[in-house]
Amino acid sequence: MKYKWFKPSKQKVDYSTRKLFASEYNSGNHTRIVCGGTNCLSLSARKEHTVSYLKGGGTFRLYSRNVLVGLRVLSKGNFLSEVADLHGISKQTASRVLHEFVDAVNRNIDNIRFQRTQQELAEAKLGFYKRCKIANIVGAVDGTLVPIIAPKDSGEAYICRKGFHAINVMATCSHDRRFIDIVAKWPGSQHDSSVMNTSSLKEHMESERPGMLLADSGYPLTNSLLTPLANPVTPAEARYNNAQSKGRMVIEQSFGILKGRFRCVISILSPYTSSNTDFIVEPYFRIEHSS
């Protein structure tokens, strides 16, 4: 007779308060993502995976263990074995659950999109003008490095300027620090300007001409990209650089908030490979928008 062994949980999972849940999963007010109100995670919300109720606003909300596992891995950057022990499942199950969770978010939360209406564009332009006094700005763009496991083939292409294997993720955000575009598929050695030149964002900006984007000196100055001056001489040029920096700061702040909340983005022990990064990075941006 064959016996099936189950790994016991090392500690009781008890999230009876919103504060404790937010602390353990860096989730803030994300309750509507993982419980009633949307069906984005319905495939993971099986009755047998229920672990607890969360008190919030006088109501009880049901959480799926699959959702908890997914949030824990993304928010804390833990080893899968540690997350598995915490939730009383095997490492293999934790790996499968993580991919189910990521797939559910990618397929059902569609909130990373460029401004589509004239009203949205006008709001973005007004927001940036209030921030930096530069007109016709609809977004700020920059790149960030996400560590990955060293690939077996062409590993040198993924070594970034900081000396580790990574993916160069390019993201664009609006004046309110909401991401409106993301590209997460290029090796860490790829220059920011090269990522931009091969993106659909560039094609959209040049064909539709919705406005201009603020970018740092890693990008070229074009009809749709506004970059800082390399060597400002006059007081007017210095004021322009200062204003441009104020407007561009929103994308740096957005990255900072994202990395502070989802530690897996900056962890060398992250579960990313060169083949799954675009699949597993996007949920960070989508979940952040749903708060």
Side-chain angles (χ1 to χ4, degrees):
M1 179 180 294
K2 293 184 178 180
Y3 292 92
K4 189 172 183 179
W5 294 90
F6 293 90
K7 188 178 295 185
S9 177
K10 290 185 177 180
Q11 64 184 86
K12 184 179 180 180
V13 182
D14 178 21
Y15 305 110
S16 57
T17 67
R18 183 182 298 275
K19 183 177 180 181
L20 181 58
F21 178 83
S23 173
E24 291 296 324
Y25 292 87
N26 290 356
S27 292
N29 294 321
H30 275 188
T31 52
R32 67 174 177 272
I33 297 178
V34 294
C35 56
T38 68
N39 60 357
C40 64
L41 299 175
S42 59
L43 86 161
S44 296
R46 301 167 184 165
K47 185 175 180 181
E48 61 268 23
H49 289 159
T50 298
V51 293
S52 64
Y53 289 94
L54 176 67
K55 294 179 181 179
T59 61
F60 289 91
R61 292 189 170 125
L62 192 63
Y63 283 84
S64 158
R65 182 163 61 188
N66 287 17
V67 175
L68 296 179
V69 169
L71 286 177
R72 180 75 182 194
V73 174
L74 301 187
S75 64
K76 297 296 185 180
N78 294 127
F79 287 105
L80 280 177
S81 57
E82 294 180 357
V83 177
D85 287 347
L86 176 64
H87 295 88
I89 57 179
S90 67
K91 181 179 177 181
Q92 291 76 13
T93 300
S95 178
R96 176 182 56 79
V97 164
L98 172 62
H99 283 78
E100 286 184 1
F101 173 81
V102 168
D103 181 61
V105 173
N106 284 335
R107 288 190 295 105
N108 294 280
I109 304 182
D110 183 20
N111 55 5
I112 305 296
R113 60 179 182 82
F114 205 85
Q115 299 97 335
R116 296 175 180 174
T117 66
Q118 290 299 320
Q119 181 179 353
E120 290 175 339
L121 290 171
E123 290 177 356
K125 293 177 181 180
L126 179 60
F128 274 106
Y129 185 79
K130 289 180 177 180
R131 174 180 288 270
C132 63
K133 304 303 179 184
I134 300 179
N136 203 35
I137 302 299
V138 297
V141 61
D142 201 0
T144 188
L145 297 169
V146 176
I148 65 170
I149 300 172
K152 296 180 179 180
D153 300 323
S154 304
E156 63 280 355
Y158 291 87
I159 299 178
C160 66
R161 64 182 184 277
K162 296 183 179 180
F164 57 85
H165 293 84
I167 291 290
N168 188 357
V169 178
M170 185 184 76
T172 308
C173 75
S174 188
H175 66 287
D176 53 0
R177 293 191 293 271
R178 294 182 64 84
F179 291 103
I180 56 178
D181 188 77
I182 175 177
V183 180
K185 62 181 181 180
W186 292 101
S189 62
Q190 196 83 358
H191 196 271
D192 289 346
S193 60
S194 298
V195 177
M196 170 61 75
N197 288 335
T198 57
S199 68
S200 59
L201 175 63
K202 179 185 178 182
E203 181 180 352
H204 173 76
M205 295 297 295
E206 293 180 348
S207 61
E208 300 296 330
R209 297 185 179 276
M212 301 188 70
L213 300 175
L214 297 174
D216 60 21
S217 56
Y219 296 87
L221 177 64
T222 67
N223 291 332
S224 58
L225 284 177
L226 206 56
T227 60
L229 298 172
N231 299 297
V233 177
T234 66
E237 291 176 340
R239 288 195 299 271
Y240 162 76
N241 270 12
N242 184 53
Q244 201 269 358
S245 177
K246 285 183 179 179
R248 182 168 43 85
M249 196 176 297
V250 293
I251 185 63
E252 298 175 1
Q253 292 172 344
S254 298
F255 281 143
I257 294 171
L258 192 74
K259 293 180 180 181
R261 180 173 189 178
F262 298 112
R263 305 303 295 173
C264 212
V265 179
I266 61 176
S267 173
I268 299 297
L269 301 174
S270 58
Y272 310 139
T273 65
S274 58
S275 60
N276 72 354
T277 307
D278 55 339
F279 170 76
I280 206 171
V281 165
E282 288 189 15
Y284 296 115
F285 298 86
R286 298 184 188 279
I287 292 174
E288 181 65 27
H289 274 305
S290 299
S291 60

